[in-house]
Amino acid sequence: MAGQLRVHLGAAPGVGKTYKMLEEGHRRRERGTDVVVGYVETHGRAQTEAMIADLEVLPRRTVSYRDTTFTEMDVDAVIARGAEVVLVDELAHTNVPGSRNAKRWQDIEELLDAGMTVLTTVNVQHLESVNDVVRQITGVPQRETVPDEVVRRADAIELVDMAPEAIRRRMAHGNIYRPEKIDAALGNYFRVGNLTALRELALLWLADKVDTELVHYRETHDIGDTWDARARVVVALTGGPEGDTLIRRAARLASRSRGADLLAVHVARNDGLSGGSHAHLVAQRTLVEDLGGTYHQVVGNDIPRALLDFARGVNATELVLGVSRRGWLQSLFSTGVGVTTANGAGAIDVHLVTHAEVHRGRQAPRPESALSRGRRQAGLFLATVGIAGLTWVLTQLRDQVSLDSDVLLYLAAVVVVALVGGLWPALVAVLLGTFLLNFFFAAPLYRVTIASGENVLALAVFLVVAIAVSATVDRAARRTREAASARAEAETLSTLAGNVLRGAEPLPALLGQLRETFQFSGATLLRRRPDSAPSPDLQHDPGAWQVVASVGRPLAAPGEGDAEVLIDEEISLVLCGHPLAAADRRVVQAFAAQAVVALRHQELREQAAAAGPLAEVDRMRTALLSAVSHDLRTPLAAAKAAVGSLRAPGVEFSPDDRQELLASVEESLDRLTRLVDNLLDMSRLQAGALAMTPQPTSIAETVAMALDDLGPEGRAVQVHLPEEFLEVDGDPVLIERVLVNLLRNALRYSPADHPPMIVVSAHAGAVETRVIDRGPGIPAELWDDVFLPFQRLGDRDNGTGVGLGLALSRGLTEAMGGSLTPDTTPGGGLTMIMSLVQSEQSSQEVEPA
């Protein structure tokens, strides 16, 4: 059984994550648990060292890399020790190249798989999702990151919090860094603003994690009551012009609570939409998403109930509705959606917002689209009582109204009955009217016989016309109902398509929309495992199915759900919460079909992603072959010509000529060596196989080594270094390579009376090394072109580029977490700016984890 992971999350170095982890280790040891220290970095802090003193510390593994010795956690030794609890510091740490795993969190996963409980630490700036935000706040890129999902999977996350002022006091007392680094740290990374922003990031990230766990708990325990743990504002949209006002009002309500969610919902009635404009809904959806909210659509015949069900389902705290747009006459017969919703809201706060459309009426009233039971009863009443009343009136006017007029009046009554009650009440009215016309108005009176053939014709026409009109009215009512239902389905599918197009992950978006639309508690897409054997209980065998995607309550087998839509022999869509209505199955099948399409697209993207690196390797191979066939030709030809001249029989060279030929051979071979090194490094860089060892590196020493590598040419370069000692985080060998390439390029294009210049300075946590020349320069529109790999290869014009060296230099710099950018030299020329992260040993801009 896998072990448990407990993460101590901090906002910044010095909040006490490691100390808290060690305290927890001591508490567990006092309870009799076997606790060992797998890896803890004390950074020379006396309090931390005292906490480790009486714990068992396992020996570390020694790793040699580029003539330097490093220590890492010995995973095999920890597993062999077999302790119950292991303390491992710095979850986001990057292991030395050559280690079994690239990251320490991967080492920890091995310990968890071995059944051990692991206590670890991490700072919020090392979480992958907030990496760019941290860089924007502090100006420092974080190279060591850990995927958020690794931390989210932890069994427990404890926030180790401390006020920014308290952290700065600890810093001033020497409890975090050595005394010589305190002033620089307080003035840079540990500014109050930086610490406050990092603290807020940690709190919000953890709040989001806790909110996810709360939603899962409520779904698992079928809790529908509102828990006011986090503000969620739901705004109800009808598709009317007042929607913009409601959305902005709801956004202001949400902004009053930090971290509050904004959700917009539109209820599409299953007998037709509520008369809203689709164009308005599209525009309002865009407005909601621009304000940071989400758009939802649900189906429900009872709009107040559907709104409240949705609000309770998302644990909403506030519900925003507009005051009714109906006129005063309509308001006399119904309280309206807003008042009805407010009466049943319970713990949810309901805001009825006034707007400019109040009492202006609806632009497109929704026609009656279904013949309810009440209407049919009213039709029967009119067919009996109404026809009887009409007969009494006409008998009183017998001398004044002819039979033809009687027939027309009865026909009008039948039409009214058909409009009210539909076909069957109208047929009752037809039969009853025919009998009464014959009995009371056709001669001979008060007998069921007809003396005149003309009267027979009149009654026959009445009967046929009345039946035709009744059938037509009933058919129109049915078509109206079907059209309204189709419109509701079309709007649902339109919303579905919009979610798929907007969603980064279409499959979860599809299942989430399906769950919201039909009010299911869970939707799971299952795929039958290819190695599963036929079984009579296959529908209830979790081992025979693989969960492809799931939202809400997860299901492991089709038999666990309340409804199933079989897509093909392998894939099934399983729903839980309530049985699937027959009328809804067609739309759900459309969802299922789209889900399969999204699944196929996802698999194709994964295959394309896997093929991408292979295509890149092939492209690099082609470029390398092109380079070998062209750029290597010149130095080889020069060396061969010089050697051939020296070996030519019968030719006597003077000592000076001989030295000149040998120098030509040496220069050609040096050029050939540099070109081959650049080509190989570029291919390794593009393939992600370039090894490097980041470490604090003196920029002054690296500049000196680069000038020595240039030989006599380097003596002409002017160097301007700051007085303070500057170190950068990077590989010294790679930094030297970059500087040599930049300086060699600058020397090639600089005039003799204006040699290149190197200027080094520190700014915002970075060290900038500027290589300045006074050559012809490069137009700004061509700056990106000079970094294209192999852009000088082939028989193309080389005057617009500066060779392979710059492409390699940018790649090496970015691999070390820096940047290489061109700029125009004042007065003419080109300036290349290499920016690298300043080391903690000189500025504390990059802190220990």
Side-chain angles (χ1 to χ4, degrees):
M1 186 177 71
Q4 293 187 338
L5 177 63
R6 182 185 182 94
V7 177
H8 293 80
L9 175 66
V15 297
K17 303 180 304 299
T18 303
Y19 193 87
K20 284 287 186 182
M21 179 185 68
L22 292 171
E23 276 189 340
E24 179 66 20
H26 278 277
R27 282 194 295 269
R28 297 195 180 205
R29 191 188 64 169
E30 292 171 359
R31 294 197 298 263
T33 305
D34 185 12
V35 180
V36 298
V37 176
Y39 187 98
V40 170
E41 186 61 60
T42 66
H43 298 292
R45 299 167 186 168
Q47 295 177 344
T48 306
E49 292 176 349
M51 291 290 289
I52 296 179
D54 55 348
L55 291 174
E56 179 183 351
V57 181
L58 298 181
R60 301 181 183 181
R61 180 172 54 88
T62 302
V63 181
S64 297
Y65 181 73
R66 291 197 175 184
D67 301 327
T68 306
T69 301
F70 303 89
T71 61
E72 295 288 359
M73 180 176 65
D74 193 337
V75 178
D76 293 329
V78 176
I79 295 177
R81 170 62 175 77
E84 296 178 72
V85 177
V86 183
L87 310 183
V88 183
D89 207 5
E90 300 176 359
L91 176 65
H93 171 74
T94 301
N95 292 331
V96 176
S99 301
R100 178 163 59 193
N101 296 313
K103 291 286 190 177
R104 182 163 293 162
W105 62 265
Q106 296 170 324
D107 295 338
I108 290 177
E109 286 190 339
E110 290 193 29
L111 302 183
L112 295 173
D113 292 338
M116 301 178 184
T117 295
V118 179
L119 310 184
T120 187
T121 63
V122 70
N123 281 333
V124 69
Q125 63 263 36
H126 296 300
L127 297 175
E128 185 66 44
S129 65
V130 299
N131 185 262
D132 56 338
V133 181
V134 173
R135 180 170 185 172
Q136 181 182 5
I137 294 170
T138 65
V140 181
Q142 301 292 329
R143 298 190 312 276
E144 292 188 330
T145 59
V146 59
D148 289 47
E149 186 58 30
V150 174
V151 184
R152 288 184 180 274
R153 288 200 305 263
D155 298 276
I157 302 177
E158 179 178 349
L159 179 65
V160 183
D161 189 30
M162 184 177 291
E165 294 77 9
I167 298 176
R168 288 173 60 85
R169 283 196 299 271
R170 291 197 66 210
M171 174 74 70
H173 294 160
N175 294 331
I176 301 179
Y177 294 139
R178 295 191 298 272
E180 63 272 15
K181 299 181 179 181
I182 293 176
D183 291 338
L186 291 176
N188 292 283
Y189 194 90
F190 286 82
R191 294 192 295 268
V192 173
N194 287 358
L195 296 176
T196 302
L198 292 174
R199 186 187 190 194
E200 183 180 30
L201 276 179
L203 292 171
L204 290 177
W205 189 92
L206 187 59
D208 183 67
K209 169 69 167 56
V210 172
D211 185 66
T212 302
E213 294 176 350
L214 178 61
V215 171
H216 177 72
Y217 178 85
R218 286 167 54 85
E219 291 175 348
T220 304
H221 293 79
D222 295 327
I223 298 175
D225 295 337
T226 299
W227 288 3
D228 196 358
R230 179 176 180 178
R232 281 189 177 86
V233 180
V234 174
V235 53
L237 302 178
T238 65
E242 75 281 1
D244 293 355
T245 302
L246 302 182
I247 292 170
R248 292 188 172 90
R249 177 62 180 274
R252 289 195 296 271
L253 290 174
S255 65
R256 296 174 184 174
S257 300
R258 183 64 175 173
D261 294 331
L262 174 63
L263 302 91
V265 60
H266 171 66
V267 178
R269 299 186 59 157
N270 53 21
D271 58 350
L273 295 180
S274 58
S277 167
H278 180 67
H280 281 154
L281 287 174
V282 171
Q284 289 161 12
R285 174 176 187 157
T286 303
L287 177 60
V288 169
E289 293 174 348
D290 290 343
L291 292 173
T294 56
Y295 179 87
H296 308 266
Q297 179 168 304
V298 298
V299 175
N301 192 42
D302 188 344
I303 294 180
R305 181 175 179 180
L307 286 176
L308 292 174
D309 287 346
F310 176 83
R312 295 189 179 103
V314 298
N315 200 27
T317 57
E318 297 178 80
L319 182 59
V320 178
L321 302 96
V323 175
S324 177
R325 288 187 287 127
R326 300 177 308 158
W328 65 270
L329 184 59
Q330 292 175 302
S331 301
L332 294 176
F333 300 95
S334 174
T335 56
V337 172
V339 176
T340 305
T341 304
N343 292 336
I348 302 176
D349 295 336
V350 177
H351 302 267
L352 291 178
V353 179
T354 186
H355 49 83
E357 303 297 323
V358 174
H359 298 318
R360 291 190 178 182
R362 296 183 180 273
Q363 296 179 355
R366 182 181 64 85
E368 290 292 337
S369 58
L371 299 178
S372 63
R373 182 178 180 181
R375 285 186 55 182
R376 292 195 299 271
Q377 292 175 347
L380 288 173
F381 178 82
L382 288 177
T384 55
V385 178
I387 295 297
L390 177 62
T391 302
W392 180 82
V393 171
L394 292 178
T395 57
Q396 303 301 316
L397 302 175
R398 187 188 306 274
D399 298 332
Q400 303 175 21
V401 180
S402 66
L403 178 61
D404 294 338
S405 298
D406 294 335
V407 170
L408 292 176
L409 291 173
Y410 272 92
L411 181 61
V414 170
V415 171
V416 171
V417 171
L419 289 173
V420 174
L423 178 61
W424 296 108
L427 290 178
V428 172
V430 168
L431 296 177
L432 183 60
T434 303
F435 170 78
L436 294 176
L437 275 172
N438 183 18
F439 189 82
F440 287 101
F441 303 104
L445 300 179
Y446 310 116
R447 295 177 61 185
V448 191
T449 58
I450 303 175
S452 172
E454 184 177 348
N455 293 342
V456 172
L457 178 61
L459 291 176
V461 171
F462 165 78
L463 181 64
V464 172
V465 171
I467 293 176
V469 170
S470 302
T472 302
V473 172
D474 182 78
R475 186 179 296 109
R478 292 179 182 275
R479 293 292 182 267
T480 302
R481 182 182 59 213
E482 293 171 358
S485 178
R487 184 181 178 188
E489 291 182 2
E491 287 294 337
T492 300
L493 294 176
S494 174
T495 303
L496 162 66
N499 283 348
V500 172
L501 294 175
R502 288 176 172 82
E505 295 294 336
L507 193 53
L510 278 167
L511 296 181
Q513 180 65 24
L514 171 63
R515 178 191 171 208
E516 287 181 359
T517 301
F518 295 99
Q519 299 296 307
F520 290 110
S521 60
T524 303
L525 195 65
L526 296 175
R527 169 182 279 167
R528 183 176 175 182
R529 297 184 184 275
D531 55 349
S532 62
S535 170
D537 198 26
L538 183 64
Q539 293 295 96
H540 295 83
D541 183 12
W545 298 89
Q546 175 187 1
V547 177
V548 177
S550 178
V551 296
R553 176 186 164 192
L555 302 172
E560 297 179 5
D562 297 310
E564 179 187 7
V565 177
L566 188 63
I567 301 173
D568 57 28
E569 295 180 355
E570 297 181 353
I571 301 177
S572 180
L573 177 63
V574 185
L575 308 167
C576 62
H578 58 80
L580 179 62
D584 297 334
R585 180 167 290 274
R586 182 174 60 179
V587 180
V588 173
Q589 287 176 339
F591 274 88
Q594 290 296 326
V596 172
V597 172
L599 175 61
R600 305 301 185 211
H601 287 176
Q602 178 177 313
E603 293 173 346
L604 290 175
R605 285 197 303 270
E606 293 173 355
Q607 295 175 4
L614 297 178
E616 182 66 15
V617 170
D618 184 71
R619 188 187 69 82
M620 294 300 301
R621 183 183 296 111
T622 303
L624 283 171
L625 291 175
S626 178
V628 170
S629 66
H630 185 276
D631 277 37
L632 299 185
R633 188 184 309 159
T634 301
L636 283 174
K640 182 177 180 180
V643 172
S645 298
L646 291 172
R647 296 186 60 190
V651 179
E652 293 291 334
F653 292 97
S654 65
D656 292 337
D657 292 336
R658 189 177 185 84
Q659 289 297 325
E660 183 177 352
L661 289 173
L662 291 174
S664 176
V665 172
E666 183 178 14
E667 181 182 355
S668 298
L669 293 178
D670 288 341
R671 180 180 175 187
L672 182 63
T673 300
R674 289 194 300 269
L675 182 57
V676 170
D677 289 342
N678 284 344
L679 288 171
L680 293 178
D681 282 345
M682 177 59 73
S683 64
R684 295 191 191 102
L685 185 65
Q686 294 287 350
L690 182 66
M692 63 177 180
T693 306
Q695 56 184 283
T697 301
S698 170
I699 195 66
E701 295 178 1
T702 309
V703 170
M705 289 188 294
L707 294 176
D708 289 341
D709 192 20
L710 290 172
E713 288 183 315
R715 299 171 187 171
V717 178
Q718 301 178 11
V719 181
H720 297 273
L721 298 174
E723 296 181 357
E724 65 270 19
F725 177 75
L726 296 179
E727 285 187 336
V728 297
D729 283 338
D731 190 313
V733 176
L734 299 184
I735 297 175
E736 180 185 350
R737 287 284 304 279
V738 173
L739 289 175
V740 168
N741 283 336
L742 296 179
L743 288 171
R744 185 172 284 118
N745 180 74
L747 287 167
R748 182 183 302 119
Y749 291 99
S750 294
D753 56 341
H754 289 88
M757 180 186 305
I758 293 181
V759 178
V760 179
S761 61
H763 175 69
V767 175
E768 294 183 348
T769 304
R770 297 173 178 264
V771 179
I772 305 170
D773 68 58
R774 296 285 185 176
I778 299 176
E781 60 270 16
L782 298 179
W783 282 354
D784 291 335
D785 295 342
V786 302
F787 294 107
L788 295 176
F790 308 105
Q791 61 91 26
R792 288 189 60 194
L793 301 180
D795 296 324
R796 287 177 289 175
D797 179 20
N798 294 333
T800 61
V802 289
L804 178 63
L806 284 182
L808 177 62
S809 298
R810 169 173 274 189
L812 295 177
T813 305
E814 291 179 348
M816 293 183 288
S819 63
L820 181 63
T821 55
D823 198 3
T824 301
T825 302
L830 179 67
T831 298
M832 300 300 297
I833 306 172
M834 179 182 69
S835 177
L836 294 171
V837 177
Q838 191 170 356
S839 172
E840 63 173 47
Q841 298 185 13
S842 60
S843 73
Q844 289 302 321
E845 285 289 339
V846 176
E847 78 294 338

